[in-house]
Amino acid sequence: MTGQFNIPVRVTRIEQVTPMIRRFTLERYDGGQLPGFSGGSHVVVTMRGDDRIHHNPYSLMGSPDDKRHYQISVRRDDEGRGGSLFMHTRVAEGDTLEVAPPTNLFALNRLAKRHILIAGGIGITPFMAQLHELRRAGADYQLHYSFRDQENAAFRNELEAACGRRITTYDASAGEFVQPGQLLAEQPLGTHVYVCGPKGMIQAVNDAAFELGWADSHVHWEEFAAPPVGKPFRVVLQKSDMEVTVPGSSSVLEALEDAGLQPNCLCRGGVCGECETVVVEGEVEHNDHFLPDDVKQTNSRMMICVSRARSERLVLDL
Amino acid sequence: MPIYELPEDGIRSRPIYRPMQPDVAARFHLMVAEGAGSEALAELHEKLPDDARCSIHYLAGGDGPDGSDRLMQLRCEQTRLHFDDGQLADALRRHLESAAMGTRLYVAGSEDFIWRMAAVGISCGMSEEEIHVERRGSRARPVQCVHCKTRVEGVTTNIYTCPGCGQHVTVRDHFSRRLGAYQSVCVDAEAPGELPPIEEIYR
Ligand SMILES: Cc1cc2nc3c(=O)[nH]c(=O)nc-3n(C[C@H](O)[C@H](O)[C@H](O)COP(=O)(O)OP(=O)(O)OC[C@H]3O[C@@H](n4cnc5c(N)ncnc54)[C@H](O)[C@@H]3O)c2cc1C
Ligand code: FES
């Protein structure tokens, strides 16, 4: 188990972008350079709350050329386990946080002839970094941005200034919605589509692309999913000779981290494959997008960032 | 669906070719062949759903049998015959540049031919997943000399004299997908002129 090292950062600026969204500008605590990143990357932010430590992924939305600052935007989620609330209510300018080095699971395809970007709500964040790359490369792109209403149209002015005629906005309160079937029809060969937004939107884009005969490798999506909650269960770690209780509102990964371990992980969303763990005993409730279905059925492996136990006890090869 | 597999053991970069299967999710099937590749296209066409849309580009002549007649009989939106492969490559490029997403490219023929046509697809923004290839006819290899980078098409022997640097080079099993060629290296660097037996092995 080799956890990632964290970089201490200082919050240099906080902007209230919409009633629900705050943008945070971060710089290295010692003022030095931050690790580089490409558009679509996220960082895992560690927030030390009073009763629990949160590790939430947030997409980097600033320019990849800016080596001194990272920017993230956090939408307040009152239903969640408190990470986004911590960012909204407890973090002030001048405070310190920790971030892990960026990882990109939602990168632009550099060989694409055209890029179609589809964002729903807070899902606009990874595209804001990608837009820097697309504009610098003089790439052929279109941005389709849908939001609930004008009050929640985060970054709209910035985006319109940057994208000009390449952006189309959709105001759901005015009955405007992205129509993936129309958007993707008759696109030239070499087009790639990228979608980040609510589950239903991601599904609709995938369905339309499939229907139109698009190859999977041209369809890219990122879901801002949080680890699902469930019933508590016990995990036995065979190699470490430990037993840990996973509470209903924590993932296995989080419970192991709370117990002082540092399992491998990157995305914390069941897509990167980094946290794959051998299951010695027990039945798994698989929630990831990584393992093939036949492997899932055998209960021999699990992604501990999102999957849980169906049995009362799991024995892991950790 | 990968366009070809890599052997599990031995030389991992040497492609293994299997009979092409139609990608039934596609909206349009663009089929390209030379010589004996016409047979592969005919077999592929057989497996296409009845209402599938497709077009064919065929390089008649060259070495190998002429499958033009056979291909002309297949139900297709367009069947075009070409008489040199530069012309075919240009026609393919023009076709792909006006094609829509949902198109798949199928290429059958010699190894040299299929990788050059696949490269046209890649340069038009297609991903490997959208390109299916099958080797038919000659097993002669396209080879690039690692020393002087001179490329030779249709090498049939284990050892040849590189026309670029004049060295005796041996054909290795390492296939570069980027170059669409096998690589050759000098065989007699230690003792010039001392060569293992030369055999025709890629026919
Ligand atoms: C790759 C990636 C990039 C992301 N980028 C961004 C970004 O740029 N901006 C951004 O705002 N967010 C982003 N997110 C989402 C972010 O990581 C958090 O999930 C989000 O901020 C909510 O955090 P939280 O701690 O408040 O709530 P979480 O605990 O993460 O909960 C989120 C949701 O999970 C469910 N849930 C959680 N706990 C419970 C419970 N006990 N009972 C019932 N339901 C529950 C609820 O539906 C809740 O709304 C990203 C996520 C991923 C995976
Ligand atoms: S950390 Fe990426 S799949 Fe679990």
Side-chain angles (χ1 to χ4, degrees):
Chain A
M1 292 194 242
T2 52
Q4 278 196 315
F5 66 95
N6 273 338
I7 307 162
V9 291
R10 193 195 308 275
V11 179
T12 57
R13 188 161 175 224
I14 300 178
E15 300 154 75
Q16 191 79 40
V17 180
T18 69
M20 299 300 281
I21 297 175
R22 280 186 162 200
R23 168 159 51 185
F24 299 82
T25 302
L26 315 171
E27 80 183 19
R28 245 186 121 102
Y29 193 72
D30 60 13
Q33 280 209 356
L34 288 159
F37 68 97
S38 49
S41 299
H42 67 264
V43 291
V44 172
V45 179
T46 298
M47 298 160 251
R48 300 187 186 278
D50 294 334
D51 46 355
R52 88 179 270 167
I53 300 174
H54 303 275
H55 305 275
N56 283 2
Y58 292 104
S59 302
L60 293 176
M61 57 179 298
S63 167
D65 290 331
D66 184 351
K67 305 280 184 250
R68 302 249 157 219
H69 305 98
Y70 285 161
Q71 280 190 339
I72 58 171
S73 279
V74 179
R75 195 178 80 93
R76 177 181 173 135
D77 183 344
D78 292 300
E79 315 278 275
R81 292 165 304 168
S84 63
L85 275 179
F86 181 91
M87 291 298 288
H88 274 256
T89 58
R90 304 285 301 278
V91 177
E93 287 178 359
D95 284 1
T96 53
L97 291 167
E98 291 155 56
V99 301
T103 24
N104 199 344
L105 299 167
F106 192 49
L108 292 170
N109 183 298
R110 307 215 169 261
L111 300 175
K113 300 288 180 193
R114 172 177 289 172
H115 307 264
I116 300 180
L117 317 177
I118 304 177
I122 188 67
I124 190 67
T125 50
F127 296 127
M128 296 193 69
Q130 290 178 342
L131 284 173
H132 289 277
E133 292 176 344
L134 291 168
R135 289 167 59 213
R136 192 176 47 203
D140 178 358
Y141 73 90
Q142 316 172 347
L143 171 63
H144 299 270
Y145 177 28
S146 81
F147 37 76
R148 212 182 314 159
D149 50 36
Q150 293 301 328
E151 197 184 33
N152 288 289
F155 315 113
R156 184 182 175 160
N157 295 343
E158 267 171 65
L159 287 165
E160 282 176 343
C163 304
R165 289 173 45 214
R166 293 183 180 276
I167 184 173
T168 311
T169 56
Y170 304 80
D171 179 342
S173 69
E176 298 164 0
F177 297 98
V178 173
Q179 308 285 345
Q182 276 170 29
L183 278 187
L184 301 187
E186 292 306 315
Q187 289 293 345
L189 214 55
T191 305
H192 284 248
V193 64
Y194 308 82
V195 54
C196 184
K199 221 184 186 69
M201 178 184 242
I202 294 174
Q203 191 61 45
V205 169
N206 273 283
D207 290 350
F210 181 79
E211 189 57 38
L212 292 164
W214 287 46
D216 290 349
S217 50
H218 290 247
V219 184
H220 312 264
W221 48 270
E222 183 150 271
E223 192 187 341
F224 287 176
V229 294
K231 279 194 294 205
F233 55 93
R234 296 190 68 67
V235 167
V236 178
L237 308 178
Q238 211 168 42
K239 282 194 203 138
S240 320
D241 193 20
M242 278 174 72
E243 204 170 315
V244 174
T245 299
V246 179
S249 62
S250 290
S251 63
V252 175
L253 174 64
E254 289 166 338
L256 298 189
E257 285 172 336
D258 288 343
L261 299 169
Q262 291 196 311
N264 290 334
C265 65
L266 274 183
C267 70
R268 292 173 173 269
V271 289
C272 75
E274 192 67 20
C275 69
E276 182 172 339
T277 302
V278 171
V279 180
V280 183
E281 208 185 297
E283 243 187 279
V284 182
E285 172 88 44
H286 295 283
N287 295 311
D288 64 279
H289 298 284
F290 181 80
L291 291 173
D293 285 346
D294 51 338
V295 176
K296 285 183 181 172
Q297 269 157 27
T298 62
N299 278 315
S300 59
R301 278 155 200 284
M302 74 182 289
M303 312 312 293
I304 57 171
C305 61
V306 291
S307 297
R308 307 185 62 85
R310 212 173 260 160
S311 46
E312 275 170 15
R313 203 176 83 115
L314 279 182
V315 182
L316 301 180
D317 185 33
L318 278 177
Chain B
M1 207 186 302
I3 56 179
Y4 65 86
E5 299 166 54
L6 299 175
E8 266 308 306
D9 50 291
I11 313 293
R12 304 213 51 173
S13 60
R14 176 171 45 87
I16 294 178
Y17 301 95
R18 301 210 184 273
M20 294 188 289
Q21 300 298 329
D23 186 339
V24 293
R27 283 288 186 95
F28 194 91
H29 307 269
L30 184 54
M31 313 201 275
V32 179
E34 64 154 9
S38 56
E39 287 303 312
L41 293 197
E43 287 163 25
L44 178 70
H45 191 274
E46 188 99 324
K47 294 180 212 154
L48 283 176
D50 286 343
D51 57 350
R53 297 181 56 202
C54 64
S55 281
I56 293 177
H57 288 272
Y58 182 58
L59 176 63
D63 36 320
D66 183 350
S68 311
D69 292 344
R70 175 92 196 265
L71 293 180
M72 293 302 279
Q73 285 160 15
L74 301 179
R75 192 194 46 73
C76 230
E77 289 188 7
Q78 199 185 31
T79 305
R80 286 186 57 191
L81 304 180
H82 303 269
F83 297 94
D84 82 65
D85 61 359
Q87 188 202 9
L88 191 162
D90 288 345
L92 174 61
R93 176 176 301 280
R94 280 195 302 276
H95 204 141
L96 293 175
E97 278 169 358
S98 62
M101 283 299 289
T103 303
R104 297 296 182 282
L105 175 63
Y106 304 84
V107 191
S110 69
E111 209 158 18
D112 159 39
F113 176 83
I114 57 184
W115 290 102
R116 269 184 299 123
M117 298 306 143
V120 174
I122 299 278
S123 73
C124 290
M126 297 185 88
S127 56
E128 288 196 0
E129 199 189 345
E130 296 172 304
I131 305 173
H132 301 246
V133 300
E134 181 176 341
R135 184 181 57 201
R136 281 290 175 112
S138 167
R139 293 184 166 255
R141 292 183 162 184
V143 187
Q144 177 171 299
C145 170
V146 299
H147 310 290
C148 71
K149 311 289 176 219
T150 300
R151 186 184 166 106
V152 182
E153 312 298 345
V155 174
T156 56
T157 50
N158 58 335
I159 294 167
Y160 68 99
T161 307
C162 174
C165 59
Q167 296 191 79
H168 296 292
V169 288
T170 176
V171 180
R172 299 191 32 210
D173 264 348
H174 174 72
F175 184 80
S176 158
R177 281 190 282 164
R178 191 174 55 82
L179 302 170
Y182 290 88
Q183 299 197 317
S184 60
V185 291
C186 183
V187 264
D188 55 352
E190 314 257 283
E194 264 179 45
L195 298 178
I198 299 179
E199 292 170 86
E200 188 164 58
I201 51 174
Y202 313 118
R203 246 171 310 182

